[in-house]
Amino acid sequence: MTTPRPGSSTNIIVLGGGTAGWLAANHMGKRFVSTPGLQGNIILIESPTLPTIGVGEGTVPAIRNSLHHLGISETDIIQRCDATFKQSIEFIDWKVRKNGQAAHRYHHPFDYPDMLHSNPIPAYLSEAEPGQPFAEWVGIQSRLIDQGLAPKTFNQAEFQGVCHYAYHLDAGKFTALLAEHGVNTFGIDVIQADISDVVRHPNGNIAALLSDDGRRFEADLYVDCSGFEAKLIGQSLHVPFIDKGDILLADHALAAQVPYADDNQSIPCATLAHAQSAGWIWDIGLYNRRGVGHVYSSNHTSHEQAERDLRHYLRDDSGHISLKRIPMRVGYRQSAWQHNVVAIGLAQGFVEPLEATGLLMFDVSARMLADLLQPNPLHWPLVAKRFNQRLLETWERVLDFIKLHYVLSDREDNEFWQDNRSPLSQSEWLKDNLEYWRYQIPSHYDFSQQGHIFNLENFLYVLYGMDFFTEVKQPDSHTLLAQKARLDRRYLQAKSELQPHRALLDKIRRHGLQPI
């Protein structure tokens, strides 16, 4: 393989046709058509025999920006991917129930806390009644979610809303939509082939991919989206995998697709995350079914008990619902970009999907690669260095944010929770900040470095949703009353405008939304 000349056409092969592969192909296709001097061809090779995992059904609001950027219609997302609106993750039983009380619950909504006029946190810590949810103190979205209301009105154009939102969607149908868009809009070529061998160049680059039927595929840049198999970055280039199973202890998931008992059943606007003795259960409402799964540690419970716990939750003691067991290897590649290979998706790394981390990291990595890709390949080593540094920082902070949920729990019903709270399983960054935040309310100064995709607002919702306490001075009661009155007015106004979640989805599926 020869190094392409500056300004010449750049050929890219994306290996893998799952969600990560098609997100990467679309982002690079968009970059090619919108960047003068950057020309090339994108080929996506997908296996006709290997299935994709296909359980990444939750997203965060950043996906709206990406879909709009790529030119994908929100109406198509709703109509073709069984999509629903997601406004929050609701955590249930992550704290111990006290004195026979109902389950401890809190929301991590997508609207930022209302801190424009004043900081409401001192008032919350000093004046809130026991059990009053933090999210209700600093915003209106959690109350709207609990009322079953959608985040937007039918008259608002695509990607606009009263509240910030993301989607729950069928991963397989979403991938098919991405594929159609990539082919029709960006001219991405699709080849069905099983890659059986990889040819290396003496300089360490990959020179070609060989299929089992004798075809040879050459490119300047290879994007490895081959999933946990990591065929290029792992099997061929042998880039080490940094295992983080000592920090996040869950190592398996059971996934199920569950039909609704009633076609008119209300659909939650939040991902439900129910804590269990050795893990947690996700419950996602799509338009035509639920996606439910149990994330657990096989070192703290058996596979059989994990299945019994999930079936008990589903009220399926007879075993009619099919379950899919997925081993999880938590961690990331030491370098996501090595030589002329860039790993995206599960080939790059994986963290349990507690905060929709899967699709988030796929999308962030793919867009960053596209944005940083230079027309002059002589600059690629510098781009690769920056790409790798940013992703290493991002993975570490994602691990810290997910770990935070476990560290703040007071559950004692299984050593899983005790082991998760052990200082030995926490990073210095997280330990230092938790100690600091006992005396100082978190601020943007704590998140000033690169690598954060979960920032101050996300940490605030989890910290104070989980009853974390910071010592503060007594707040101004006048400011407190003004804050409450302002939120109440906003809530009543939004409540009068919004309609039930399923009712809005029905209307969009019939009539579509107004394009921007």
Side-chain angles (χ1 to χ4, degrees), residues 117-279:
H117 301 88
S118 63
N119 186 344
I121 299 174
Y124 173 75
L125 293 168
S126 301
E127 302 292 337
E129 298 177 1
Q132 183 169 3
F134 173 72
E136 289 187 11
W137 194 274
V138 297
I140 67 171
Q141 191 169 30
S142 64
R143 284 191 276 177
L144 296 172
I145 296 167
D146 289 341
Q147 290 292 317
L149 298 175
K152 65 185 294 171
T153 70
F154 180 70
N155 292 327
Q156 288 179 303
E158 293 188 327
F159 305 113
Q160 297 177 354
V162 173
C163 299
H164 288 293
Y165 62 87
Y167 311 99
H168 293 136
L169 43 77
D170 183 294
K173 293 179 180 180
F174 180 53
T175 300
L177 179 61
L178 290 172
E180 179 183 303
H181 187 77
V183 171
N184 294 339
T185 305
F186 302 124
I188 296 166
D189 294 322
V190 185
I191 294 176
Q192 300 285 320
D194 283 312
I195 300 302
S196 57
D197 201 5
V198 177
V199 180
R200 296 284 299 278
H201 192 277
N203 67 6
N205 282 354
I206 286 182
L209 307 181
L210 305 181
S211 66
D212 59 4
D213 59 2
R215 287 177 288 173
R216 179 184 179 96
F217 306 102
E218 298 184 5
D220 306 306
L221 186 70
Y222 297 83
V223 182
D224 188 354
C225 299
S226 60
F228 285 128
E229 185 182 15
K231 197 171 188 68
L232 306 183
I233 199 76
Q235 293 183 19
S236 182
L237 299 190
H238 306 293
V239 174
F241 182 86
I242 301 175
D243 194 299
K244 292 294 183 176
D246 59 331
I247 294 178
L248 295 180
L249 310 183
D251 59 0
H252 282 80
L254 289 167
Q257 297 183 359
V258 184
Y260 287 121
D262 181 350
D263 289 343
N264 295 316
Q265 183 174 332
S266 63
I267 303 173
C269 263
T271 296
L272 308 182
H274 295 256
Q276 301 293 302
S277 64

Side-chain angles (χ1 to χ4, degrees), residues 10-12 27-36 38-42 373:
T10 301
N11 295 310
I12 297 176
H27 276 301
M28 286 185 293
K30 173 69 174 182
R31 172 83 165 155
F32 276 170
V33 302
S34 60
T35 306
L38 187 61
Q39 307 173 42
N41 301 304
I42 301 172
L373 192 63

Side-chain angles (χ1 to χ4, degrees), residues 385-398:
K385 181 178 180 181
R386 181 158 300 195
F387 183 83
N388 287 331
Q389 288 174 341
R390 179 66 186 271
L391 276 181
L392 285 174
E393 294 167 351
T394 300
W395 278 113
E396 286 297 317
R397 297 292 77 80
V398 167

Side-chain angles (χ1 to χ4, degrees), residues 401-419:
F401 184 58
I402 301 304
K403 185 67 173 180
L404 179 70
H405 299 68
Y406 292 105
V407 172
L408 297 178
S409 174
D410 59 357
R411 292 183 65 117
E412 298 282 353
D413 52 319
N414 188 297
E415 289 184 1
F416 171 79
W417 298 96
Q418 300 165 32
D419 291 346

Side-chain angles (χ1 to χ4, degrees), residues 166-463:
Y167 311 99
H168 293 136
L169 43 77
D170 183 294
K173 293 179 180 180
F174 180 53
T175 300
L177 179 61
L178 290 172
E180 179 183 303
H181 187 77
V183 171
N184 294 339
T185 305
F186 302 124
I188 296 166
D189 294 322
V190 185
I191 294 176
Q192 300 285 320
D194 283 312
I195 300 302
S196 57
D197 201 5
V198 177
V199 180
R200 296 284 299 278
H201 192 277
N203 67 6
N205 282 354
I206 286 182
L209 307 181
L210 305 181
S211 66
D212 59 4
D213 59 2
R215 287 177 288 173
R216 179 184 179 96
F217 306 102
E218 298 184 5
D220 306 306
L221 186 70
Y222 297 83
V223 182
D224 188 354
C225 299
S226 60
F228 285 128
E229 185 182 15
K231 197 171 188 68
L232 306 183
I233 199 76
Q235 293 183 19
S236 182
L237 299 190
H238 306 293
V239 174
F241 182 86
I242 301 175
D243 194 299
K244 292 294 183 176
D246 59 331
I247 294 178
L248 295 180
L249 310 183
D251 59 0
H252 282 80
L254 289 167
Q257 297 183 359
V258 184
Y260 287 121
D262 181 350
D263 289 343
N264 295 316
Q265 183 174 332
S266 63
I267 303 173
C269 263
T271 296
L272 308 182
H274 295 256
Q276 301 293 302
S277 64
W280 57 278
I281 286 174
W282 78 76
D283 195 336
I284 287 174
L286 303 185
Y287 185 78
N288 290 319
R289 64 169 175 84
R290 293 157 60 201
V292 185
H294 185 190
V295 174
Y296 63 95
S297 166
S298 64
N299 292 313
H300 295 87
T301 190
S302 66
H303 296 302
E304 293 76 17
Q305 183 60 49
E307 179 174 338
R308 284 194 291 271
D309 291 342
L310 179 56
R311 292 198 184 279
H312 176 74
Y313 176 83
L314 296 173
R315 300 179 181 178
D316 180 45
D317 296 332
S318 60
H320 290 150
I321 296 174
S322 176
L323 304 181
K324 179 180 182 180
R325 183 185 299 161
I326 305 165
M328 303 190 310
R329 190 183 183 194
V330 174
Y332 51 82
R333 295 288 161 187
Q334 188 177 74
S335 298
W337 188 333
Q338 184 84 351
H339 294 302
N340 62 340
V341 173
V342 184
I344 301 289
L346 298 177
Q348 179 192 114
F350 177 81
V351 174
E352 65 182 75
L354 186 59
E355 293 273 0
T357 48
L359 279 174
L360 173 60
M361 287 301 296
F362 296 177
D363 186 46
V364 166
S365 302
R367 184 157 185 180
M368 180 163 42
L369 172 61
D371 288 347
L372 293 177
L373 192 63
Q374 297 293 312
N376 187 344
L378 297 178
H379 297 160
W380 288 0
L382 291 174
V383 176
K385 181 178 180 181
R386 181 158 300 195
F387 183 83
N388 287 331
Q389 288 174 341
R390 179 66 186 271
L391 276 181
L392 285 174
E393 294 167 351
T394 300
W395 278 113
E396 286 297 317
R397 297 292 77 80
V398 167
L399 285 160
D400 283 327
F401 184 58
I402 301 304
K403 185 67 173 180
L404 179 70
H405 299 68
Y406 292 105
V407 172
L408 297 178
S409 174
D410 59 357
R411 292 183 65 117
E412 298 282 353
D413 52 319
N414 188 297
E415 289 184 1
F416 171 79
W417 298 96
Q418 300 165 32
D419 291 346
N420 261 302
R421 289 194 294 271
S422 167
L424 296 176
S425 70
Q426 301 172 37
S427 73
E428 291 302 316
W429 184 92
L430 184 58
K431 285 189 288 187
D432 288 349
N433 275 296
L434 284 172
E435 182 62 26
Y436 178 69
W437 292 334
R438 294 188 187 281
Y439 309 100
Q440 179 69 42
I441 292 172
S443 74
H444 289 289
Y445 295 110
D446 303 325
F447 302 89
S448 58
Q449 66 264 47
Q450 295 293 313
H452 288 279
I453 54 177
F454 295 112
N455 291 295
L456 169 64
E457 295 79 10
N458 307 105
F459 275 76
L460 291 176
Y461 280 127
V462 176
L463 283 165

